[in-house]
Amino acid sequence: MTKEQKQEVIELLKGKFAQYNNFYITDTESLTVAQVSKLRSVCFDKQVEMKVAKNTLIKKALESLDAEKYAGVYDALNNVTALMFSENPKDPALIISSFRTESKSERPILKAAFINGDIYVGDDQLKALTKIKTKNELIGEVIGLLQSPAQRVIAALLEKANKEGGETAPAAEAAPAE
């Protein structure tokens, strides 16, 4: 690989790291070509970008953006590395989990994940990452929580109005007739 080609890869990676707040670093070593193709296909379907690059180029791209911010992921850059970029922090974890289940394998291995500024290191973090709530899920929960007391108040007011309305309804109807 020439120096120019390496610089192109670094620039491409910098663009991806700047574009996405979430990325996963996985080890795809010992996966067959067919398995990697299937993994790429699943990623494509779920709008997750998968890139394979040399660890030194990944590290240079991260260091040129913000060396301190990404310092926690440098130790994960070893062996064969595939990066998964996603807008949704949960999707790559779900893809890895379901891929493992389908292939009855322990690969790909999660080496690290960078989720909105937080770093998760190690394959043991995968289960926790599959349970992360997305922004839309959190917004939905907050709206539900906010609506619940308002709905109770409205229901109580309507119930009170119906009770009172049943007694005063004839008088209200009689008033316009006079």
Side-chain angles (χ1 to χ4, degrees):
M1 191 176 245
T2 66
K3 194 171 190 173
E4 291 80 27
Q5 290 172 323
K6 288 179 181 178
Q7 193 57 41
E8 284 178 31
V9 171
I10 290 171
E11 290 303 317
L12 173 90
L13 290 173
K14 281 172 57 176
K16 294 295 175 197
F17 290 126
Q19 178 183 353
Y20 293 99
N21 289 329
N22 311 304
F23 64 88
Y24 284 57
I25 300 172
T26 63
D27 182 349
T28 55
E29 193 172 14
S30 78
L31 289 180
T32 66
V33 173
Q35 287 175 317
V36 171
S37 294
K38 185 176 180 182
L39 182 61
R40 284 182 183 275
S41 175
V42 172
C43 287
F44 181 79
D45 291 343
K46 299 277 187 175
Q47 299 175 339
V48 173
E49 286 191 54
M50 185 174 157
K51 300 281 182 211
V52 177
K54 290 186 174 188
N55 293 315
T56 54
L57 300 180
I58 295 169
K59 186 174 181 180
K60 285 181 181 181
L62 289 171
E63 286 175 336
S64 67
L65 288 172
D66 189 341
E68 288 181 32
K69 180 179 178 182
Y70 299 110
V73 300
Y74 298 151
D75 290 340
L77 297 174
N78 53 45
N79 299 333
V80 176
T81 299
L83 298 168
M84 298 172 118
F85 298 95
S86 174
E87 291 294 331
N88 183 335
K90 191 177 188 176
D91 284 346
L94 294 173
I95 290 170
I96 293 168
S97 292
S98 65
F99 187 83
R100 285 180 179 183
T101 303
E102 283 180 26
S103 64
K104 296 179 179 107
S105 168
E106 292 184 16
R107 300 274 182 191
I109 294 174
L110 175 67
K111 295 198 262 183
F114 185 86
I115 311 294
N116 297 318
D118 294 325
I119 298 172
Y120 300 84
V121 178
D123 196 53
D124 57 329
Q125 300 292 317
L126 186 63
K127 189 171 184 177
L129 291 169
T130 61
K131 296 180 186 204
I132 285 179
K133 297 203 185 251
T134 65
K135 183 179 179 181
N136 289 341
E137 290 171 337
L138 290 173
I139 290 171
E141 282 185 14
V142 168
I143 289 172
L145 290 171
L146 291 173
Q147 284 180 338
S148 180
Q151 287 173 338
R152 282 192 230 129
V153 169
I154 291 171
L157 290 173
L158 288 173
E159 186 177 326
K160 184 176 180 185
N162 286 341
K163 284 181 182 176
E164 291 175 359
E167 297 169 6
T168 59
E173 289 174 10
E178 292 175 7

